Amino acid sequence: LPVATLDNSVTPMALREFAQFRALVHMHTGIWLRDGKQIMLASRLSRRLRHHGLTDFAEYLTLVQQVQDNGEELRELINCVTTNKTSFFRENHHFQFLANTIVPAIKSANLRSGPRTIRIWSAASSTGEEAYSIAITLLEAIEGGGATHRIAHPSFSSAGWRIAIEASDIDTKVLATAQRAVYSADALTTVAPPLRKKYFLRGKDDMIGQVMVKPEVRRLAHFQRINLMDNYWPVEGPFDVIFFRNALIYFNQDTQEVFLRKMASLLRPRGYLFLGSAEHIPWLHDILEPLNQTMYRLRGPEE
Ligand SMILES: C[S@@+](CC[C@H](N)C(=O)[O-])C[C@H]1O[C@@H](n2cnc3c(N)ncnc32)[C@H](O)[C@@H]1O
């Protein structure tokens, strides 16, 4: 039976077409679209059909397959398929743990053996709120809430810190938003009031109702497209912490395991992996020791 779309100008997506899109998406992204996602997919893709003046999903499928070589339309398709919900300081306990446990431990190691770079990876960063929350947390924890202008990526701060925050996503559209660092002022509801003024600029005139992350925070984070399905991940470890939150859910367990083992190999000895609050990995507890609140720590000797 064909499945209805919400857009009358487009012929409904047939189940056969859905199956083909699903296989294509799975092959290129690892994302598995469950049964029942046809309407969602049809409604998100109808924009691309209109863009190309097409009225039929079969034609669009052919187009995507034909131009796979340059990959442009495939990227657009992938952008339509991803779910990008995020917010500043989402699941705040992870940021508290970073500030109260991880930073003090690195601080005392720095005192013993000299400064080193703190490396954190936001591995499915979406529109950037997670990476900027990490940057703000580090600035607050390292400088003790004092002046922020002294830390310049990647040079040393007055406190002897080097900070490198890598942030990546498969979706080029969300990465563009992350790099622009402009958000609706409503996005600040999850940011503690003293931090709003300190780290964000309020828009004026045609930017009214919008806020921009201040340059001293922005320059700590480096964004790039990484498809975790690719064999090569262009990131430089080892990482003190990898945030890989609220993305696991889109992949089957085999794919999850490939990603997580590879991430574990990029952690520092006894480094941390943070997952989303509903994401549990009992099948990897042999290499990743579970702490509470979906935080995991690489097993093995200290550095
Ligand atoms: C729900 S968002 C999570 C954002 C953020 N980590 C958080 O917890 O708020 C999931 C992100 O995973 C990204 N994603 C999905 N498949 C991916 C893949 N194969 N490689 C890299 N990122 C992927 C999506 O584009 C999306 O932005």
Side-chain angles (χ1 to χ4, degrees):
L1 278 182
V3 174
T5 68
L6 305 174
D7 183 339
N8 292 334
S9 66
V10 170
T11 313
M13 182 186 283
L15 278 181
R16 181 173 30 82
E17 289 156 1
F18 175 66
Q20 287 172 298
F21 278 117
R22 167 152 79 179
L24 189 72
V25 167
H26 186 244
M27 180 167 75
H28 288 283
T29 69
I31 298 172
W32 183 248
L33 297 169
R34 280 182 286 106
D35 288 347
K37 290 280 181 188
Q38 296 98 303
I39 295 198
M40 180 279 280
L41 184 67
S43 103
R44 289 189 185 179
L45 290 186
S46 54
R47 191 166 55 80
R48 296 308 303 161
L49 268 70
R50 278 197 304 277
H51 174 84
H52 291 289
L54 303 175
T55 54
D56 194 298
F57 285 103
E59 287 169 358
Y60 179 65
L61 199 55
T62 309
L63 184 139
V64 173
Q65 284 161 339
Q66 273 170 358
V67 296
Q68 255 184 43
D69 282 349
N70 78 27
E72 205 46 53
E73 191 54 40
L74 184 63
R75 282 191 183 196
E76 293 290 348
L77 189 156
I78 291 171
N79 289 355
C80 291
V81 165
T82 57
T83 299
N84 311 115
K85 183 179 177 300
T86 187
S87 53
F88 287 107
F89 296 96
R90 182 180 193 184
E91 295 169 27
N92 192 31
H93 43 269
H94 291 162
F95 300 97
Q96 286 171 350
F97 189 84
L98 177 60
N100 300 331
T101 303
I102 299 177
V103 167
I106 298 176
K107 222 176 218 172
S108 57
N110 276 0
L111 289 177
R112 277 198 311 276
S113 45
R116 65 163 178 81
T117 305
I118 173 165
R119 286 186 191 285
I120 300 191
W121 182 18
S122 165
S125 62
S126 187
T127 36
E129 289 89 331
E130 183 172 272
Y132 293 131
S133 303
I134 295 169
I136 292 172
T137 302
L138 292 179
L139 289 172
E140 285 291 294
I142 293 170
E143 300 281 307
T148 61
H149 58 274
R150 285 171 293 172
I151 297 184
H153 175 65
S155 61
F156 287 94
S157 77
S158 57
W161 290 78
R162 260 174 112 161
I163 297 174
I165 301 169
E166 285 293 338
S168 62
D169 201 284
I170 194 175
D171 183 330
T172 51
K173 222 169 171 171
V174 294
L175 286 169
T177 303
Q179 271 156 334
R180 191 162 168 254
V182 174
Y183 301 92
S184 156
D186 298 340
L188 295 193
T189 49
T190 53
V191 178
L195 302 183
R196 294 181 194 164
K197 219 176 161 163
K198 195 165 169 189
Y199 295 110
F200 295 87
L201 298 164
R202 286 206 170 263
K204 292 194 188 118
D205 304 326
D206 56 337
M207 296 282 281
I208 207 115
Q210 296 185 298
V211 291
M212 181 182 245
V213 181
K214 284 192 178 176
E216 57 263 39
V217 179
R218 286 176 64 180
R219 69 169 171 241
L220 296 179
H222 168 249
F223 290 91
Q224 64 176 322
R225 182 177 191 266
I226 297 180
N227 179 355
L228 296 170
M229 286 295 278
D230 291 345
N231 287 333
Y232 174 64
W233 294 349
V235 285
E236 190 190 336
F239 292 101
D240 293 276
V241 192
I242 298 179
F243 284 67
F244 184 39
R245 308 186 312 161
N246 303 299
L248 263 195
I249 180 183
Y250 302 109
F251 309 107
N252 66 28
Q253 192 176 318
D254 288 348
T255 309
Q256 293 180 358
E257 187 163 347
V258 171
F259 291 171
L260 291 172
R261 284 191 183 276
K262 212 163 148 184
M263 285 179 188
S265 75
L266 287 169
L267 286 175
R268 258 181 203 289
R270 304 295 283 145
Y272 295 90
L273 172 77
F274 294 169
L275 300 180
S277 61
E279 297 168 332
H280 300 278
I281 48 167
W283 34 273
L284 267 187
H285 286 183
D286 58 328
I287 55 166
L288 289 161
E289 172 195 350
L291 310 178
N292 57 5
Q293 296 179 305
T294 55
M295 298 186 285
Y296 298 84
R297 195 163 191 203
L298 189 65
R299 291 189 191 274
E302 297 280 342
E303 226 161 340

